[in-house]
Amino acid sequence: MYCATMARTKDPKVRSLLIEKAAQMLRARQPVTLRTLVAGTGVSTMAVYTYFGGMDGLWRAVRQEGFTRLAARLDAVPTSEDPVRDLAALGAAYLSNAMAHPDLYRVMFDAGFDLEDPSAADETLHCLVHTIDRAKTAGRFHGEVDPPELATQSWAIGHGLASLAVTGPLTHQALVHGVPMLTALFISAGDDPAQCRRSVELGWQPPSPS
Amino acid sequence: MYCATMARTKDPKVRSLLIEKAAQMLRARQPVTLRTLVAGTGVSTMAVYTYFGGMDGLWRAVRQEGFTRLAARLDAVPTSEDPVRDLAALGAAYLSNAMAHPDLYRVMFDAGFDLEDPSAADETLHCLVHTIDRAKTAGRFHGEVDPPELATQSWAIGHGLASLAVTGPLTHQALVHGVPMLTALFISAGDDPAQCRRSVELGWQPPSPS
DNA sequence: CACAATACATAACACTGCTATGGATTCATA
DNA sequence: TATGAATCCATAGCAGTGTTATGTATTGTG
């Protein structure tokens, strides 16, 4: 039986401070270990256990943070009146995020999606699905297109390129493969080839003030 | 100055034995550690250092072994008179290999392609490039197709799906996404849509004794 | 046959994440 | 308000990690 009385409440600042520092050390390519993590923060190694239950819990929280940031980045992609262009912009933002935080991206995808909130994957796909819906109602995609399915396929393209570029043999500039690959996928979903090419190329580069 | 005299020669059996055991423990989901690796083999922990220079070297060798097995598996894919069908068969073999040895596949792609022979990636792509060449000369793809480029894109599709299925939220059955994705890519390379669909579906499933 | 260079078993080292312990702090209740 | 219980967390120690020093056995070469 769980007793609700609490004598002391965890400080959420410490929690986010540790996650933040872990992400920062990851970015600086410093080895993130229990002792190096708490060094300089004033808190002790035990804090990691009261807040996360151990290093596994910390990494789980860091992964969650990675997906949260990714979702925020995708949500920040502006919406135009061309849904296919917006789809390409989402793909470009996905890859841009992965290349900006390569080590965080790598951490997000090892240890098999062991997240605090397992619906993070759905969240990531949500704006993709929504934009595909818009493309359908706009008549760009034909009726048999299943939005979650096409979103998954777009994700697989983005993740495949990001993964091969972050941890593999592809260079950063190889990410432009995203343009022909997404174009091919969207054409197969029913979009007009010429229009699709234009939309994807427009959405791929950052929104220019035209 | 290097002296060529040697008093005792390394036994290559020990080397492959350790790699084999590491792969086997990986498959059994047992933690592969220096001491558990040598336990029962008769050799001591120092053997890992004389043969691989340390655990990093061992993992490097394991990754190399993974790519070698992958290349062998791709080379074993039978060649038909339909190059597009063969391309799909290569993709299916790639995913099949990843799902048969998920932990080995994961090891292959972390630590950033730190391999003994860095040309392993090219080897993996070689049969893809060769088959794409065949498709070009057969008139299935138009002339502007750059074989290495299209091979990279096919690889990105395969790796994206494999990675999301091995370590991500995709289930094993989600690998059928490979069919529409490869079809879309090959159609964009110039193949006839209806013929392409037939070829990819034929190549996707294991070669039936027709 | 002697010598030198390699292979490798043993043991100790620094480091990892983790846990047992106890003191400090804070809220709920009498 | 004062007591008590529950929580946070700093300290210290533990088992396990990869690595390195040391010494011994083994083998090809002069």
Side-chain angles (χ1 to χ4, degrees), chain B residues 5 7-8 10 35 43-46 50-51:
Chain B
T5 67
R8 203 173 167 183
K10 291 185 194 176
R35 288 170 176 81
V43 307
S44 149
T45 61
M46 274 304 294
T50 60
Y51 284 97

Side-chain angles (χ1 to χ4, degrees), chain B residues 1-19:
Chain B
M1 177 174 179
Y2 178 68
C3 182
T5 67
M6 287 203 344
R8 203 173 167 183
T9 165
K10 291 185 194 176
D11 185 358
K13 283 185 182 179
V14 176
R15 191 188 141 87
S16 51
L17 180 143
L18 288 175
I19 296 178

Side-chain angles (χ1 to χ4, degrees), chain A:
Chain A
M1 175 173 175
Y2 177 68
C3 183
T5 69
M6 287 199 349
R8 203 169 166 183
T9 165
K10 291 184 193 175
D11 186 359
K13 283 185 180 177
V14 175
R15 191 187 144 86
S16 50
L17 180 144
L18 288 175
I19 297 179
E20 186 74 24
K21 174 153 188 192
Q24 180 184 339
M25 293 180 73
L26 224 50
R27 173 172 216 156
R29 313 196 78 89
Q30 297 167 350
V32 179
T33 178
L34 176 61
R35 289 171 175 81
T36 61
L37 179 67
V38 300
T41 62
V43 305
S44 148
T45 62
M46 274 303 295
V48 174
Y49 287 82
T50 61
Y51 284 96
F52 304 102
M55 284 303 277
D56 279 6
L58 174 85
W59 288 119
R60 204 192 336 258
V62 169
R63 279 192 288 276
Q64 190 77 41
E65 173 72 14
F67 277 101
T68 301
R69 291 187 189 181
L70 173 59
R73 184 119 175 201
L74 294 186
D75 277 334
V77 170
T79 299
S80 75
E81 66 284 350
D82 181 347
V84 175
R85 168 181 176 165
D86 295 347
L87 277 175
L90 286 172
Y94 185 93
L95 289 176
S96 163
N97 176 72
M99 302 322 291
H101 312 283
D103 300 271
L104 182 57
Y105 188 82
R106 187 162 16 199
V107 169
M108 282 165 64
F109 284 96
D110 57 24
F113 259 58
D114 184 17
L115 299 174
E116 296 171 340
D117 177 12
S119 70
D122 302 344
E123 289 292 325
T124 307
L125 283 184
H126 177 257
C127 52
L128 272 178
V129 174
H130 179 66
T131 311
I132 292 171
D133 270 323
R134 281 176 50 218
K136 272 187 72 174
T137 61
R140 301 286 292 265
F141 294 164
H142 54 59
E144 298 100 48
V145 166
D146 179 46
E149 207 160 310
L150 189 60
T152 302
Q153 293 169 10
S154 307
W155 189 16
I157 289 177
H159 176 66
L161 286 174
S163 178
L164 285 181
V166 162
T167 176
L170 260 51
T171 72
H172 288 206
Q173 60 153 6
L175 298 183
V176 297
H177 285 307
V179 173
M181 293 177 77
L182 288 182
T183 302
L185 188 65
F186 298 151
I187 290 175
S188 85
D191 199 14
D192 171 72
Q195 190 176 9
C196 185
R197 253 183 291 275
R198 225 177 317 127
S199 294
V200 171
E201 272 167 18
L202 267 176
W204 192 255
Q205 47 219 13
S208 54
S210 67

Side-chain angles (χ1 to χ4, degrees), chain B residues 15 17 27 32 38-39 48 52 57-58 93 95 104 119 122 138-139 145 162:
Chain B
R15 191 188 141 87
L17 180 143
R27 173 173 216 156
V32 179
V38 300
V48 174
F52 305 101
L58 173 85
L95 290 175
L104 182 57
S119 70
D122 303 344
V145 167

